[in-house]
């Protein structure tokens, strides 16, 4: 492991996952190869299961002539009344990923909270730049709302949840639903959300973040894939980069969690601050010594604390 400026700040229990952490998704020229490698990894791994949860694959009809949207549904076997729902959006820098990679977490979430989880297999950049990923997730949100009676859901208790790029789409989805008068959301649960393309070109970058797992070059390439042009230009929609939104009032309550060494630290802190100024309730967590994706170190105490905080925030939001 080579020495870096922030290595001394890393939680010692996280050091073991830095070097072997999958270097996925970038450079963009290799994205298809990376996706194929991830598919091979997934196929070679045993699929998680939980006897408390039913799992199903659905194809949600596309809107306005768009292609259908694939999603995985997890629902508790023992139901009691209309269920709360979580619309989950996976991460992957906007260029890789699939709902199967979050399956273990979504199974336990459905079982522990007694909720339905819908994890969206949205289209990926660069083949499908903005607004395609957001459109797919919005289609899934409308479907959950329209099919609430069939799915035995409580329309008033729906949260959107995402990690990294998925967190960026989740934040944008909350904005899109507000702007369009769409289905109401109870909560937005954002883990290290990728929400500001201007981080790629900021004039005074934080010197101690973004050295592990997700760095500035990967971030730049991910944003360029999503936007179809270099990041940081004028005129980028707030529905592509949520931090661009000028008006943040009337949004659902938010949970934002990020590591202190994560490249997204300052954009996440600033978004949380602006939400509070707009009257949006915010629960904000910054985990010391933690970099992007640190939850992969499941035995580390900081990762376990983050997992507990994450689950309890959803429990309070959906179950009261």
């Amino acid at each position: 492991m080579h020495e870096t400026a922030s290595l001394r700040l890393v939680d010692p229990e996280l050091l073991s996952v830095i070097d072997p952490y999958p270097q996925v998704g970038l450079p963009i020229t290799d994205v298809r190869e990376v996706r194929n490698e991830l598919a091979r990894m997934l196929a070679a791994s045993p699929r998680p299961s939980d006897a408390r949860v039913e799992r199903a694959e659905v194809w949600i009809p596309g809107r306005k002539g768009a292609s259908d949207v694939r999603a995985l549904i997890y629902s508790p076997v023992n139901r009691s009344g209309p269920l709360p729902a979580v619309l989950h959006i996976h991460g992957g820098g906007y260029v890789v990923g699939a709902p199967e990679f979050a399956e273990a977490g979504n199974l336990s979430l459905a079982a522990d909270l007694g909720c339905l989880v819908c994890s969206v297999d949205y289209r990926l950049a660069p083949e499908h730049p903005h607004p395609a990923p957001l459109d797919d997730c919005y289609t899934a949100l409308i479907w959950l709302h329209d099919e609430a009676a069939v799915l035995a859901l409580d329309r008033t208790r729906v949260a959107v949840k995402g990690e990294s790029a998925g967190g960026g789409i989740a934040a944008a989805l909350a904005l899109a639903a507000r702007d369009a008068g769409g289905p109401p959301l109870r909560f937005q649960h954002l883990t290290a959300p990728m929400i500001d393309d201007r981080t790629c070109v900021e004039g005074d970058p934080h010197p101690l973040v973004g050295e592990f797992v997700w760095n500035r070059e990967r971030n730049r390439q991910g944003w360029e894939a999503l936007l179809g042009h270099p990041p940081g230009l004028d005129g980028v929609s707030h529905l592509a980069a949520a931090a661009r939104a000028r008006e943040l009032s009337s949004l659902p309550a938010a949970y934002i969690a990020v590591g202190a060494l994560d490249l997204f630290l300052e954009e996440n802190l600033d978004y949380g601050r602006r939400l509070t100024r707009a009257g949006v309730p915010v629960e904000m967590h910054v985990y010391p010594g933690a970099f992007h994706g640190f939850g992969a170190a499941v035995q580390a105490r900081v990762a376990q604390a983050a997992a507990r905080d994450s689950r309890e925030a959803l429990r309070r939001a959906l179950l009261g």
Side-chain angles (χ1 to χ4, degrees):
M1 183 183 301
H2 65 282
E3 187 72 27
T4 69
S6 63
L7 186 61
R8 62 182 174 80
L9 300 174
V10 174
D11 186 309
E13 293 184 333
L14 299 178
L15 290 172
S16 62
V17 303
I18 291 178
D19 284 342
Y21 201 102
Q23 304 300 299
V24 299
L26 300 166
I28 297 300
T29 52
D30 299 331
V31 68
R32 290 181 181 84
E33 180 180 339
V34 173
R35 289 177 190 160
N36 290 336
E37 177 60 26
L38 287 172
R40 288 191 289 269
M41 290 169 53
L42 194 64
S45 302
R47 192 170 188 183
S49 62
D50 191 317
R52 301 171 296 172
V53 177
E54 295 176 335
R55 174 175 47 203
E57 179 184 65
V58 299
W59 286 90
I60 300 169
R63 297 181 302 129
K64 301 177 181 179
S67 57
D68 293 349
V69 179
R70 175 178 173 267
L72 298 182
I73 302 292
Y74 308 90
S75 56
V77 172
N78 296 319
R79 291 169 167 264
S80 177
L83 301 178
V86 175
L87 180 65
H88 172 253
I89 307 172
H90 69 77
Y94 296 115
V95 296
V96 298
E100 283 83 357
F101 285 100
E103 190 149 73
N106 284 332
L107 283 166
S108 65
L109 181 63
D112 294 346
L113 266 61
C115 66
L116 181 143
V117 180
C118 174
S119 189
V120 187
D121 193 7
Y122 59 88
R123 287 171 289 174
L124 298 171
E127 298 93 335
H128 303 286
H130 175 77
L134 177 64
D135 285 349
D136 289 350
C137 295
Y138 199 90
T139 293
L141 176 61
I142 290 177
W143 178 79
L144 282 176
H145 185 268
D146 290 348
E147 298 297 317
V150 175
L151 297 168
L153 300 182
D154 181 349
R155 289 190 180 98
T156 69
R157 293 188 293 158
V158 178
V160 62
K161 176 180 184 290
E163 304 83 39
S164 192
I169 298 173
L173 185 63
L175 289 163
R178 179 203 65 182
D179 294 351
L185 286 168
R186 171 76 69 92
F187 196 58
Q188 50 180 322
H189 185 285
L190 314 175
T191 300
M194 185 175 173
I195 53 175
D196 198 342
D197 62 300
R198 295 167 298 187
T199 295
C200 301
V201 294
E202 60 186 350
D204 183 26
H206 192 310
L208 296 171
V209 301
E211 292 193 299
F212 307 110
V213 180
W214 190 255
N215 60 30
R216 297 182 189 281
E217 178 60 15
R218 291 184 178 132
N219 197 47
R220 183 191 66 78
Q221 292 186 329
W223 276 113
E224 187 162 332
L226 179 72
L227 299 175
H229 58 71
L233 301 181
D234 292 339
V236 171
S237 170
H238 66 283
L239 300 183
R244 296 275 196 151
R246 295 182 179 180
E247 178 56 64
L248 297 178
S249 61
S250 302
L251 287 171
Y255 167 91
I256 304 174
V258 65
L261 303 179
D262 194 312
L263 180 63
F264 301 148
L265 172 67
E266 292 189 317
E267 65 186 67
N268 289 182
L269 288 173
D270 187 60
Y271 196 62
R273 178 189 63 82
R274 292 181 58 223
L275 284 170
T276 65
R277 290 176 68 91
V280 177
V282 176
E283 178 179 344
M284 186 91 206
H285 292 267
V286 177
Y287 295 98
F291 43 80
H292 196 72
F294 71 95
V298 293
Q299 300 304 317
R301 283 168 290 184
V302 67
Q304 293 173 357
R308 287 192 300 271
D309 293 339
S310 170
R311 186 61 50 90
E312 284 308 306
L314 277 170
R315 188 187 305 278
R316 289 192 299 271
L318 295 178
L319 304 182

